DNA sequence: GTGAAAGCGCTAACAA
DNA sequence: TTGTTAGCGCTTTCAC
């Protein structure tokens, strides 16, 4: 049952574990171990099918070659894709990734943070919930590599990768305005998180650019913790009570999905009776009938940058924080 | 930088690390440690903000309270949801989950298996690729808890959780037949994996039940490793060259998605010109226009069962293999 | 060139 | 009721 350890090899070859360790770590030359001995050890390791015990190694070196990725919800396609790209990039550098979902719940996020910290993750890629500033701060103070993704805490000196949410929303609304829509609704989350406030700000200023004023009543702020049916219901009610509206803007993918469901329920025709645009792309928006215009984020780039930053921090041991703001892209489709 | 260890607490309180360890592990009573001492230790731990080092604990106990989940592709909604449910269930039992994607690539799967094994995962939940029988076998021989999900190796005595793929496909075709469709195409993967062969078998026998014979030429077998656009292209060509067909059956979600794209490209109307049914549900099928009939798998149940089995194996140390076959559900929608 | 030994943080026989 | 000590598998300093 016990797997072969460095000790077994040492015994087999008749040397000390030290020598074996040196050879296995490629320090044979440096330590001027004879070629024959080196080969013998290597062959024995091979023959016994030796695999180093990462737990023990991690304990000793403090390095586990593992990154922690804390997302909001791994089943959300945005995060699922992000996870995949992070995994791909990390893999190239020989790192593994451990994922967890916070459900946007501070308590859960904090306990995950503690947990991963004590599983000796070498670095953290985090989609932060709003209430974990303090914990992030203390991670950084412990000089643990951290990079925030999708959102960040303004004023805090932590690395992050995000998109220009303001510009994305602004441009999305400009598309609607250019198409002649005049009475545009906003459906967003009731959230203080910067990515959401920026999208709302972009929306409002874009409307303002056309000389109009967006009335607060024309915005629906949904609680994060609603169930999916509750969201749909709330959107149905909101749309019903704003019958004159000719367009609606959703600030994130699952709101957009719930919105599609609501519109279908109301039997409204897109785009004749109501135009639709949403943040984040997905199969439904891309292939549904009609196809839905979106403000799409460069998810692969985001993941790539995040890993790049983390690896840089790990390798350089630099505490310097790096910030990347990528460009979202408005994709015009049939829904406008 | 160094976090507080059990030693710090011992020093602070003025006792040995053993005592602290006992108290922290809730063995105070068992070891008949005085209440005052216990409280003092607990308070000190709290005050110093002590968190146990899981790596060290894992090294000592051989238990990491971590499960490895090896999926085909975490960005595929089926696996993303599965991952989420597995995570939820594991969490309830105090276990964390480490995810990895194999990309359905044997080599990658094998290296992941080695990797996770040596990171001392307490158990493995695996969506196996077809070529890793041997490695699964050796995991089992080492008495490591393993459960296969979605597919399994017939004839191998390993736990698994799957759905009745044969019945799902059979029932799906029955729906099409009942609606009067006569010329039904099959689009599936060129795969030896049991879930796929069973779906194909269910399809063919279901057609046969109506007295018809499904011609091999009416099946499109796609390579797994095609890119998405290549898949779409292949399906476009297949559908174009089978113009008399009135329905098409897709054996998995991303084939269905690619199929929707192909049908859209061909400007065929669903269901008037072609009816559609696919294995696995998703937002596009549920909310697209028209909505698409599916054979949906009880993903939450699958994840729950898988975790249940793994935990049972871990706790009972029983090598007995358990098999669950859950029922998929045909959901009739507008596409038929 | 190679080995002895200490130590990462924790647990658990065994001793006292 | 509490402490001593060995050891999980590995790396690395120092000694020979």
């Amino acid at each position: 049952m016990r797997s072969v350890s460095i000790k077994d090899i040492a015994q087999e070859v008749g040397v000390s574990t030290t020598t074996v360790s040196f050879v296995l770590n490629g320090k044979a030359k440096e330590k001027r171990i004879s070629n024959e001995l080196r080969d013998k050890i290597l062959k024995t390791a091979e023959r016994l099918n030796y695999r180093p015990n990462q737990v023990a190694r991690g304990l000793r070196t403090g390095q586990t070659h593992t990154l922690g990725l804390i997302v909001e919800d791994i089943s959300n396609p945005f995060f699922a894709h992000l996870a995949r790209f992070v995994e791909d990039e990390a893999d190239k550098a020989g790192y593994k990734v451990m994922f967890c979902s916070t459900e946007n719940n501070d308590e859960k996020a904090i306990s995950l943070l503690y947990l991963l910290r004590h599983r000796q993750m070498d670095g953290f890629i985090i989609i932060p919930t709003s209430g974990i500033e303090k914990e992030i701060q203390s991670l950084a103070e412990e000089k643990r590599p951290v990079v925030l993704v999708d959102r960040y805490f303004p004023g805090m000196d932590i690395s992050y990768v995000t998109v220009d949410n303001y510009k994305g929303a602004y441009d999305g609304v400009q598309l609607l305005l250019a198409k002649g829509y005049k009475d545009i609704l906003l459906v967003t989350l009731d959230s203080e998180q910067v990515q959401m406030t920026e999208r709302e700000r972009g929306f409002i200023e874009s409307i303002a650019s056309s000389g109009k004023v967006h009335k607060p009543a024309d915005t629906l702020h949904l609680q994060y913790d609603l169930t999916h049916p509750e969201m749909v219901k709330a959107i149905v009610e909101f749309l019903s009570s704003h019958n004159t509206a000719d367009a609606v803007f959703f600030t994130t993918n699952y709101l957009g999905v719930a919105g599609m469901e609501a519109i279908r329920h109301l039997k409204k025709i897109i785009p004749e009776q109501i135009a639709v645009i949403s943040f984040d792309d997905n199969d439904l928006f891309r292939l549904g009938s009609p196809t839905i215009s979106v403000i799409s984020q460069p998810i692969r780039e985001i993941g790539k940058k995040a890993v790049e930053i983390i690896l840089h921090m790990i390798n350089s041991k630099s505490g310097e924080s790096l910030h990347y703001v990528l460009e979202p892209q408005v994709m015009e489709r049939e829904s406008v």
Side-chain angles (χ1 to χ4, degrees), chain A:
Chain A
M1 173 58 243
R2 203 182 55 79
S3 38
V4 291
S5 79
I6 211 168
K7 211 192 269 176
D8 298 312
I9 302 177
Q11 215 157 45
E12 190 81 9
V13 180
V15 295
S16 78
T17 59
T18 315
T19 313
V20 177
S21 173
F22 284 151
V23 171
L24 262 23
N25 288 312
K27 298 192 183 164
K29 228 165 280 163
E30 186 185 326
K31 298 292 176 181
R32 292 182 306 182
I33 288 166
S34 70
N35 286 353
E36 318 147 64
L37 183 51
R38 187 197 58 202
D39 292 346
K40 199 166 163 195
I41 290 174
L42 254 22
K43 268 201 202 99
T44 312
E46 177 106 347
R47 183 163 52 78
L48 298 181
N49 200 15
Y50 168 78
R51 306 282 150 172
N53 179 324
Q54 301 293 349
V55 173
R57 188 200 291 246
L59 180 60
R60 177 65 223 226
T61 61
Q63 294 250 315
T64 54
H65 283 261
T66 307
L67 304 179
L69 173 60
I70 301 184
V71 299
E72 192 175 299
D73 175 6
I74 191 74
S75 68
N76 175 322
F78 176 77
F79 297 118
H81 279 95
L82 179 67
R84 175 59 198 273
F85 295 137
V86 165
E87 188 186 11
D88 277 2
E89 288 301 316
D91 188 59
K92 289 184 197 159
Y95 278 76
K96 284 294 140 198
V97 181
M98 187 144 178
F99 306 77
C100 307
S101 308
T102 60
E103 299 167 44
N104 221 6
N105 171 334
D106 286 343
E107 213 175 316
K108 190 133 190 250
I110 291 174
S111 89
L112 282 175
L113 233 40
Y114 275 125
L115 198 106
L116 292 187
R117 195 198 312 231
H118 287 86
R119 286 194 192 200
Q120 321 287 85
M121 299 291 124
D122 292 348
F124 296 83
I125 299 175
I126 303 175
I127 317 290
T129 61
S130 46
I132 61 167
E133 265 183 272
K134 236 179 49 197
E135 280 71 22
I136 300 279
Q137 189 67 57
S138 78
L139 269 183
E141 277 163 12
E142 291 173 23
K143 303 253 178 289
R144 306 215 190 220
V146 181
V147 54
L148 305 181
V149 174
D150 188 49
R151 46 193 95 153
Y152 57 94
F153 298 111
M156 241 173 90
D157 187 34
I158 305 280
S159 295
Y160 63 79
V161 181
T162 178
V163 298
D164 189 338
N165 287 293
Y166 172 85
K167 181 163 183 298
Y170 192 97
D171 291 352
V173 173
Q174 287 299 315
L175 172 64
L176 291 174
L177 292 171
K179 294 279 174 178
Y181 296 101
K182 302 202 180 320
D183 193 352
I184 306 173
L185 300 175
L186 175 65
V187 175
T188 186
L189 289 178
D190 186 14
S191 164
E192 301 288 289
Q193 292 177 353
V194 63
Q195 82 283 14
M196 286 301 157
T197 58
E198 281 294 279
R199 288 176 196 177
E200 186 163 353
R201 194 170 67 84
F203 176 92
I204 289 174
E205 296 195 6
S206 192
I207 298 276
S209 77
S210 73
K212 292 206 196 65
V213 174
H214 181 74
K215 296 194 301 274
D218 289 345
T219 297
L220 174 62
H221 285 104
L222 288 168
Q223 293 296 122
Y224 172 85
D225 52 5
L226 295 182
T227 63
H228 186 76
E230 287 169 345
M231 266 185 198
V232 175
K233 185 155 166 278
I235 298 173
V236 165
E237 284 165 9
F238 177 68
L239 293 179
S240 307
S241 65
H242 289 74
N243 240 320
T244 59
D246 54 12
V248 55
F249 183 113
F250 297 99
T251 56
T252 188
N253 57 0
Y254 58 88
L255 289 180
V257 170
M260 297 300 292
E261 214 160 337
I263 290 169
R264 153 175 290 266
H265 182 86
L266 291 168
K267 302 206 189 341
K268 292 214 183 207
I269 314 285
I270 301 172
E272 286 77 3
Q273 297 179 304
I274 191 145
V276 172
I277 189 166
S278 175
F279 237 90
D280 300 326
D281 204 358
N282 67 29
D283 284 341
L284 173 61
F285 297 158
R286 200 166 53 84
L287 298 174
S289 241
T291 53
I292 304 298
S293 301
V294 295
I295 298 131
S296 132
Q297 301 194 48
I299 308 185
R300 164 166 266 133
E301 276 307 306
I302 295 174
K304 198 167 167 176
K305 269 289 169 226
V307 172
E308 201 177 300
I309 293 177
I310 277 293
L311 294 182
H312 175 259
M313 292 176 100
I314 292 174
N315 295 325
S316 71
K317 297 189 191 313
S318 125
E320 182 199 12
S321 73
L322 300 169
H323 304 157
Y324 284 92
V325 179
L326 304 175
E327 289 291 302
Q329 199 189 345
V330 175
M331 308 191 68
E332 181 179 340
R333 298 208 182 109
E334 297 161 2
S335 70
V336 296

